[in-house]
Structure formats: structure tokens, C-alpha cells
Amino acid sequence: MDGVSLIEIHGRKPRIHSSAFIAPGCRLIGDIEIGPDVSIWYNCVLRADVNFMRIGARTNIQDGSVCHVDSAWPGHPDGHPLIIGDDVLIGHMAMVHGCTLADRAFVGLGSVIMDGAAIDSEGMLAAGAMLTPGKRIGSRELWAGRPARLMRELTDDDVAMHRLSVAHYVENGRAHRAAISG
């Protein structure tokens, strides 16, 4: 993986499935596990130096996003790992910190998700929104704003578009990997 930094810290190093696409310019640090057909796009930083990070199959994290974990502190002896399920879409320049994103969650570009927050399966955080600590987006809910609040329920068409986007990013990741490999 030319142009990718894989950094071991505290005896933990990133573990990446062989089918995943990690774009040049990415920095992966610490206790990270990346599943099959994941795509991590150009210039992302994933730092699991003080807790662990898990990323499920076919998830994509788009260009310039930052993913981090939260260490233990009084009242939270386990801190907050970052747990990302299967088929999750994370838009460009998102900040995802110590939260849980269930299978098929959607994080809009430029949005922020803070410690202990969660997005349930097929839940969506709109572009530019901020999900504050401990808040939870329910299944098929769209939240927007800073701080984010419920805007509406997602339609069947919204959910279908998400599934098409997941398939698109898996194929696009394969194309980019082939182009880089030359």
C-alpha cells in the first residue's frame, strides 16, 4: 500500500482485509480492524491509539474524513471505541469520534458525530450536521442541524438509494485499486 501510513502503537497495529481499498495519503494508527470490500478514500485519518476501532464489510469512508476513539475517563471506564457496521456510508470530511454506526447507517459530508452517540440501522445524519454526545438516531430517521434533531422519516426510495451507493463504492474502490496498482 504505497503512500499509506500503517502505524503500530501500544503493541497494536491495523488489520486490513485483503479486499479493502485504502487510498494513498491515508493514515491508519493503532487497533483498527477493517473488513472486506471496505474503501477508505484519499487523505483519511483513522486513529485508534487509546481504544479500538472496527469497520464492517462494504463500508466506505470518503476523502478527508477523520475517525478517532475516546479513552477511558471518570464515569466512562471503557471510554468509547469506534464501531462501524456493514454497508455504512461516511461522506467527505466527516468527523466520527467514539460512536457506534449500525449496519447501513449514513453520515453526511462535513458532519460531526461525538462520543457515545449512535446511528441505528438505516438512520441518516445530514450533511453538515452535529450529533452531540450520547444522542441516538433511530432506524430510518433523518436528523439535521447543529445540534442535530429529527427532521423526518426516510422513505423506501431513500433506503434503496443507500443500497445502490454501497454497491457503487465497492466497485469504485476496486477500480481505484486497479488504477493505482498500474
Side-chain angles (χ1 to χ4, degrees), residues 58-82:
R58 297 169 306 281
T59 286
N60 89 84
I61 301 173
Q62 295 174 21
D63 312 68
S65 292
V66 175
C67 300
H68 192 222
V69 296
D70 184 41
S71 60
W73 46 282
H76 293 278
D78 296 326
H80 295 285
L82 178 55

Side-chain angles (χ1 to χ4, degrees), residues 1 14 27 33 36 44 48-49 63 67 71 86 88 95 108 113 153 156 164:
M1 280 189 272
R27 309 292 181 250
E33 185 175 323
C44 289
D49 53 344
D63 312 68
C67 300
S71 60
D86 297 340
V88 174
M95 174 76 66
I113 305 176
E153 296 295 316
D156 290 341
L164 290 172

Side-chain angles (χ1 to χ4, degrees), residues 3-178:
V4 174
S5 296
L6 300 175
I7 300 169
E8 181 176 340
I9 188 165
H10 307 303
R12 307 273 185 185
K13 62 184 176 182
R15 295 169 312 285
I16 303 166
H17 191 275
S18 61
S19 64
F21 167 65
I22 312 297
C26 289
R27 309 292 181 250
L28 280 62
I29 302 140
D31 189 2
I32 301 170
E33 185 175 323
I34 296 175
D37 293 318
V38 166
S39 56
I40 310 293
W41 294 88
Y42 301 90
N43 299 315
C44 289
V45 175
L46 283 65
R47 182 161 56 98
D49 53 344
V50 294
N51 213 322
F52 66 90
M53 184 181 304
R54 302 294 178 260
I55 301 170
R58 297 169 306 281
T59 286
N60 89 84
I61 301 173
Q62 295 174 21
D63 312 68
S65 292
V66 175
C67 300
H68 192 222
V69 296
D70 184 41
S71 60
W73 46 282
H76 293 278
D78 296 326
H80 295 285
L82 178 55
I83 301 170
I84 302 173
D86 297 340
D87 303 317
V88 174
L89 301 173
I90 299 176
H92 307 280
M93 302 292 289
M95 174 76 66
V96 181
H97 200 275
C99 60
T100 300
L101 307 177
D103 295 347
R104 297 175 307 283
F106 181 94
V107 177
L109 61 90
S111 59
V112 176
I113 305 176
M114 300 175 78
D115 298 336
I119 301 178
D120 289 343
S121 182
E122 297 178 346
M124 179 184 283
L125 181 64
M130 178 185 290
L131 192 61
T132 53
K135 295 290 183 183
R136 174 177 232 99
I137 295 175
S139 180
R140 294 185 71 133
E141 292 179 351
L142 168 63
W143 286 41
R146 284 186 178 242
R149 62 185 177 83
L150 177 63
M151 301 304 286
R152 66 175 175 87
E153 296 295 316
L154 295 175
T155 66
D156 290 341
D157 287 344
D158 295 329
V159 173
M161 180 56 92
H162 178 98
R163 290 188 177 136
L164 290 172
S165 295
V166 168
H168 162 76
Y169 276 103
V170 168
E171 290 306 315
N172 204 27
R174 289 176 182 156
H176 277 255
R177 182 174 41 202

